[in-house]
Amino acid sequence: MARYAFLRGEFVPMEQAKIGISTHAFLYGTACFEGIRGYWSAKEEELFVFRLREHYQRLLDSCKIMRITPKYSLDELCDITIQVLAKCGDRTDVYIRPVYYKSSETIGVKLTGLEDDFLVFAVPFGEYLDISKGLRCRVSSWLHSEDNAIPTRAKINGVYINPALAKTEALDDGYDEAIFLSKSGHVAEGSAENFFMVRQGRLITPPVTTGLLEGITRNTVMELAEDLGIPVVERLIDRSELYLCDEAFLTGTGAQISPIVEVDHRPVGDGKIGPISAKLQQLYFQVVKGEVPRYRHWCTPVYKK
Ligand code: PMP
């Protein structure tokens, strides 16, 4: 089946969706993006895009930080995305990648006096991390970028060198994922995921002021936990708590809810996927497929049969 992208204001076949080699965003990383998932529901024969508006609101926030003037409104961005997906016609889970970028073909590192463009494409997509067996993580030797170095609450392309270094180090050393500490030594997040742990029945996650991305899955999990009667606490997390917590998991659009079973060679709890992680994971997968009426408004149908 032909795949389509949206670029320079038009829907174009994927193979024609190209940008020039001197594009500013390519030369300097001056772009911001989103990662959005679409879930195929075989039951309803429908593709549901999860929290589409929230992702585009975050993209518009990233644009503001990046001095990108968005030419499309929130509604238009959602509409363009649904049209791209409808044209592709997938009957499987997909990953959607919108990018707002500095499109001028020019040399010179700055954010102003440049043209901006928006593109979006989607690809069929399965698991990003192996969520069945639990992750083995290491604390990264790379410190996490700081908000006043490269803003962490914007999803800026150039910032992803930091997670790429950490993830590669973890993989090279035989682990599945990296956990970043902030400059103050507190747990920040995973390479492209937010971090949660369970201690004494309470779900604990670092506050957004730890220099992390304000994750949409993080927000989803906090709401689901409250629904399930699990108390949620936002507070700083020390490194040694990684070794003593009862359960831990990473959250993200790609990672979904990925339980951690080991950190720095110490088992998390008894080294198995814990009950609270499993419960949240189970509910999450129902929610994203539109199976929970209370959260149906988070799921935008593509085909609207
Ligand atoms: N932190 C970083 C650095 C990420 O790249 C991501 C993935 N977007 C997340 C956290 C999780 O964010 P979300 O749940 O919105 O996908």
Side-chain angles (χ1 to χ4, degrees):
M1 190 116 79
R3 305 210 66 81
Y4 290 87
F6 184 84
L7 178 72
R8 297 185 195 97
E10 293 183 339
F11 297 96
V12 289
M14 238 346 222
E15 55 280 6
Q16 288 170 27
K18 308 281 184 223
I19 60 167
I21 58 169
S22 61
T23 303
H24 200 271
F26 173 68
L27 298 181
Y28 300 111
T30 46
C32 50
F33 70 101
E34 276 301 317
I36 311 173
R37 266 189 192 263
Y39 289 89
W40 174 249
S41 164
K43 229 185 264 177
E44 295 192 45
E45 301 233 308
E46 182 56 278
L47 183 61
F48 288 113
V49 184
F50 192 59
R51 304 198 72 174
L52 181 62
R53 291 185 75 79
E54 289 87 341
H55 279 284
Y56 275 120
Q57 185 54 60
R58 188 170 65 188
L59 186 68
L60 292 174
D61 290 348
S62 296
C63 283
K64 190 167 186 190
I65 291 174
M66 288 294 286
R67 305 281 298 266
I68 289 173
T69 310
K71 58 176 106 160
Y72 302 109
S73 68
L74 185 56
D75 285 336
E76 287 167 334
L77 291 167
C78 294
D79 186 54
I80 291 166
T81 304
I82 295 297
Q83 285 193 59
V84 167
L85 293 170
K87 279 176 182 296
C88 291
D90 291 303
R91 293 170 64 83
T92 182
D93 294 351
V94 296
Y95 185 81
I96 305 152
R97 171 54 56 88
V99 186
Y100 246 123
Y101 66 106
K102 297 282 169 193
S103 57
S104 296
E105 301 201 17
T106 182
I107 306 288
V109 63
K110 60 186 171 107
L111 296 177
T112 51
L114 299 162
E115 280 168 22
D116 308 313
D117 192 28
F118 169 76
L119 66 83
V120 59
F121 65 93
V123 288
F125 202 69
E127 304 306 345
Y128 174 72
L129 297 173
D130 184 348
I131 47 176
S132 58
K133 64 176 170 53
L135 304 173
R136 294 181 58 249
C137 296
R138 68 160 286 171
V139 169
S140 183
S141 73
W142 295 96
L143 289 186
H144 197 254
S145 307
E146 283 197 88
D147 189 55
N148 59 2
I150 305 179
T152 47
R153 81 175 31 73
K155 226 171 138 55
I156 299 170
N157 291 47
V159 83
Y160 278 77
I161 292 307
N162 187 222
L165 288 166
K167 175 90 181 198
T168 304
E169 176 188 62
L171 293 176
D172 282 349
D173 292 352
Y175 299 86
D176 303 308
E177 252 304 340
I179 297 175
F180 272 120
L181 302 183
S182 65
K183 198 173 168 192
S184 71
H186 294 103
V187 175
E189 58 183 343
S191 68
E193 309 89 12
N194 291 113
F195 177 83
F196 285 85
M197 70 173 184
V198 176
R199 289 193 80 184
Q200 284 123 20
R202 296 194 310 167
L203 192 58
I204 305 166
T205 195
V208 290
T209 44
T210 318
L212 43 86
L213 188 74
E214 297 179 359
I216 289 163
T217 321
R218 176 183 182 277
N219 172 272
T220 303
V221 163
M222 288 166 83
E223 284 210 29
L224 299 187
E226 275 173 26
D227 258 17
L228 292 170
I230 303 161
V232 183
V233 183
E234 288 181 81
R235 67 155 173 83
L236 294 178
I237 295 176
D238 283 331
R239 178 175 186 162
S240 57
E241 292 188 278
L242 293 173
Y243 307 150
L244 299 181
C245 59
D246 305 317
E247 297 182 38
F249 56 84
L250 296 172
T251 65
T253 297
Q256 306 172 105
I257 297 178
S258 296
I260 300 170
V261 291
E262 194 184 300
V263 182
D264 291 347
H265 301 283
R266 280 92 169 170
V268 171
D270 61 4
K272 298 199 189 79
I273 297 173
I276 291 181
S277 313
K279 215 166 157 181
L280 284 165
Q281 204 184 45
Q282 194 193 7
L283 180 57
Y284 184 78
F285 284 124
Q286 289 169 342
V287 166
V288 295
K289 292 200 168 183
E291 291 167 12
V292 181
R294 185 170 154 68
Y295 294 110
R296 181 80 175 190
H297 62 284
W298 281 344
C299 306
T300 307
V302 172
Y303 303 122
K304 304 180 185 82
K305 285 206 176 100

